Amino acid sequence: MQDFKDLHKQHRRRATAGNAFRDQAQESEPQKTRRLRIILPLVALLLASYPIISIFGSTRSKTSPPAAKPAAVQPIKLNNLDNWSAFRLAADAYPNISNQNGTFSAPLPQGGKVVYAINEPMQRRVEKLMNDYKVPYGLFVAIEPKTGRVLATVAHSSIQPGWEKGAFYNTYPMASLFKIVTATAALEEKKVGPDTPFAFNGKLTSESPKRWHVRPGRGNQQMPLSLAMGKSVNPVFGRLAGEVVGRDPLIFYADRYGFNQSIFPGSPVVPSAAPAPPPGSVDQLMLMGAGLNHEVKISPFHAASIMATVANRGVMMAPSLAKEIVDQKGTVVFAQKPQPLRTVTTPETAASLARMLSTTVQSGTSRKAFHDRRGRPMLASLRVAAKTGSIDGKDPAGHYSWFAAYAPMEDPQIALAALVINQNKWRIKATSVGEQALEAFFK
């Protein structure tokens, strides 16, 4: 509550202000005229100069205060490297890679260098092939199955310069490579074997599940699963997924292979994707099992790792882009060692998958690329397990041609994945890229 004395003081101040106002009101007319002669020109000058003042004021408001600078990315320290931080370091340095006497290396910003395990003949052959054929978009990754060492990485685009940067880390529609996952689920669940005869309807390349169902006593087609894998028969693997394996086991083994998760943590490899939520109808599940779901996407790195897993008796190894890393003093601060990542299948399932995949080159979708016109094998003494894939895609637009393989089957030394995206004019298939890569590697 205010004191009465304060109220009295406020009243006196208001009274004084009122007297001053009355005194102003009593000014003579000559005094008012003189004041107006001074004030009016000043007001006119201020109004005329307002646009200029507003411009300067606007400029100050746009440039002040200065924008905050983004936080600097902290460089990876060399004194405590693991496989994934070494992968990231090697990936960041990769654009500056050079070849000296067959050894590929790249300098590090903090001094020192990354040494890669790149196989020069294979790397150069694939680069030349893609360049000679003017491939619109092409990717290639090769891995040593038992160690995870990356043996080659090629990215090429004849129509979009700059697309190549990091393109082999991104994901693309997987197409029929997903049939490997479908077969794994069926084999692991003991539902079928490589020689199990399987009935189906429709063309081998049919994309309509409604045409695949078997009708008793209506002359259905039939072939063993091994041959169906080699010929990439959509109705067989669609029915296998939808009517034999089922949704939950299929999603379970997709998870085992590393879909919808970061299985290469800290590396730039984008996680592969499978539909989430999973297919809600049998027809959708069939399309997924046959490799016809466009939302199932995988990176060339992951595709090569899946083939390497089959080659390595079901054990997936962590891929390593760096063979070793040396600091500015010449001391080796990282030397790659084989690192098991996860067990995906039993050795028995891996062996059955190998039998099924071998038919791709022997009598399936890659036979022409691996045999001359007289039917003689191009790589006579080499047994190759492989899978092809083919699907249309939008990013980038074109027809996606996949080839994933490992060899030799008796003692796998290399697993690879090649992706070629052709447009209106076909340049070359991924199968031919894979065959040339194997020829260069084993010559």
Side-chain angles (χ1 to χ4, degrees), residues 271-298:
S272 297
S281 69
V282 174
D283 282 0
Q284 289 174 339
L285 187 61
M286 286 181 166
L287 288 172
M288 182 176 172
L292 296 172
N293 187 314
H294 288 74
E295 299 307 311
V296 178
K297 296 182 178 180
I298 195 170

Side-chain angles (χ1 to χ4, degrees), residues 216-280:
R218 298 287 294 274
N220 303 301
Q221 303 177 70
Q222 182 173 287
M223 70 172 60
L225 279 177
S226 286
L227 185 58
M229 177 70 86
K231 292 184 177 294
S232 200
V233 181
N234 288 339
V236 168
F237 283 89
R239 283 198 62 229
L240 187 63
E243 300 176 17
V244 178
V245 173
R247 186 183 70 172
D248 291 345
L250 187 65
I251 297 302
F252 175 79
Y253 284 98
D255 179 82
R256 286 274 284 270
Y257 272 115
F259 285 82
N260 296 332
Q261 58 194 284
S262 180
I263 57 171
F264 309 136
S267 79
V269 180
V270 176
S272 297

